[in-house]
Amino acid sequence: MTASRMVAVLALATLVCVGGVRADEYAYAGQWGSEGGGAGEFTIIGGIAEADGIVYVTDFVDAMTCRIQTFDHDGNFVGSVTAWGEARGATVYTSVVMCFEKLDLTGQVYFAVEVDDLTGRTLFQPSDFAVDSAGHVYVAECAQHQVNKFAGDGTFIDAWGSFGDGSGQLNFVGGVAVGPGDIVYLSDMMNGRVQRFDTSGQLLGEFGEPGTGPGQFMMPMGLTLDSAGNTYVVDAMNWRIQKFDPSGAFMTAWGAKGSGDAQFELPADVAVTPDGSRVFVADRMNHRVQRFDRQ
């Protein structure tokens, strides 16, 4: 990137405002990907995760091919595996909509692919899943407005959530993440908020409301946390990423609709390094990954 281009990008990041709040904490640092089925190309990006300097990106290529591609932080292609079976010792989980992957706290790779779950219990439109420090797996069942809890071997343990807009109720679940202390975070898409639960499904709190201002959401989807407990949320229909502190207070936001640098078309998921210094965004309809560095 030339010096003049870097100045222009930093100026753009400084000028991006959401309800008057300057979103200049993270600056655009590069991108990779284009539409296609080749190495380093994407058809439909499902999820994204980061561990030990490697970025993992799921890609639904066609009805028979769901793969995970790996890259270094600069977007250099490392490799690709098909998510229809065992790979890297990973446990295979399943979804009836699209393939997703996440990492647990030890960096273990978990796949989600298209069919019933391991118990034979059909999941209706699972959208995401996460793993806690004890190895329990939490599957967000989007259109059932609930989250399912499984043991690491796939044994069903519990489910919680019901349709509605009251505390603890859900209206389509866009994403799930587990943060420090094994707190479970859910993106409550159509209610425009994030809700927090303990591992038994007891509500601990919530933040956000429908809207376009700071801390408000229009279809929150993928979310993740750094080691300090800060939450990063894909605010899909506001075409931005929002960051919140451990109490749920708004910190910063960046992004806009489009195909240029630091712009998004239906962003789907977000990953972050443990220290929060780098953020990677799965920019689904632009068929790319964008990287942002903390300033």
Side-chain angles (χ1 to χ4, degrees), residues 219 221 234 236-237 239 264-269 282-285:
M219 205 168 80
M221 292 182 64
V234 172
M237 295 309 293
W239 305 286
F264 306 113
E265 286 288 355
L266 194 62
D269 202 5
D283 190 5
R284 176 175 289 171
M285 298 312 294

Side-chain angles (χ1 to χ4, degrees), residues 73-187:
H73 282 194
D74 295 320
N76 296 307
F77 178 77
V78 175
S80 177
V81 293
T82 301
W84 292 120
E86 297 290 333
R88 296 189 61 201
T91 301
V92 177
Y93 287 86
T94 60
S95 162
V96 297
V97 177
M98 196 174 296
C99 49
F100 294 83
E101 61 82 20
K102 292 292 178 185
L103 304 180
D104 68 15
L105 299 181
T106 67
Q108 175 75 29
V109 181
Y110 287 80
F111 295 142
V113 296
E114 188 176 357
V115 283
D116 293 347
D117 69 57
L118 295 179
T119 66
R121 180 179 178 274
T122 299
L123 297 173
F124 186 52
Q125 293 186 358
S127 56
D128 199 4
F129 67 89
V131 184
D132 67 19
S133 62
H136 299 120
V137 182
Y138 302 83
V139 181
E141 197 169 0
C142 182
Q144 289 292 90
H145 319 289
Q146 67 180 19
V147 61
N148 296 268
K149 181 179 179 180
F150 297 88
D153 64 0
T155 302
F156 176 75
I157 297 175
D158 195 10
W160 71 83
S162 61
F163 175 75
D165 58 9
S167 295
Q169 294 184 310
L170 301 161
N171 190 349
F172 291 92
V173 187
V176 58
V178 177
D182 282 342
I183 297 174
V184 181
Y185 293 72
L186 299 179
S187 293

Side-chain angles (χ1 to χ4, degrees), residues 165-271:
D165 58 9
S167 295
Q169 294 184 310
L170 301 161
N171 190 349
F172 291 92
V173 187
V176 58
V178 177
D182 282 342
I183 297 174
V184 181
Y185 293 72
L186 299 179
S187 293
D188 189 2
M189 288 174 61
M190 304 311 292
N191 285 326
R193 63 187 176 185
V194 172
Q195 298 198 67
R196 296 180 289 199
F197 300 84
D198 66 18
T199 56
S200 64
Q202 295 299 308
L203 180 68
L204 300 176
E206 64 180 68
F207 56 89
E209 62 183 4
T212 60
Q216 297 179 327
F217 298 109
M218 294 292 287
M219 205 168 80
M221 292 182 64
L223 73 169
T224 193
L225 290 94
D226 61 28
S227 60
N230 300 308
T231 310
Y232 303 74
V233 185
V234 172
D235 189 7
M237 295 309 293
N238 282 324
W239 305 286
R240 65 186 179 186
I241 304 300
Q242 297 201 67
K243 179 180 178 180
F244 300 84
D245 72 13
S247 72
F250 173 81
M251 296 179 69
T252 190
W254 68 93
K257 180 177 172 59
S259 58
D261 298 344
Q263 295 180 333
F264 306 113
E265 286 288 355
L266 194 62
D269 202 5
V270 59

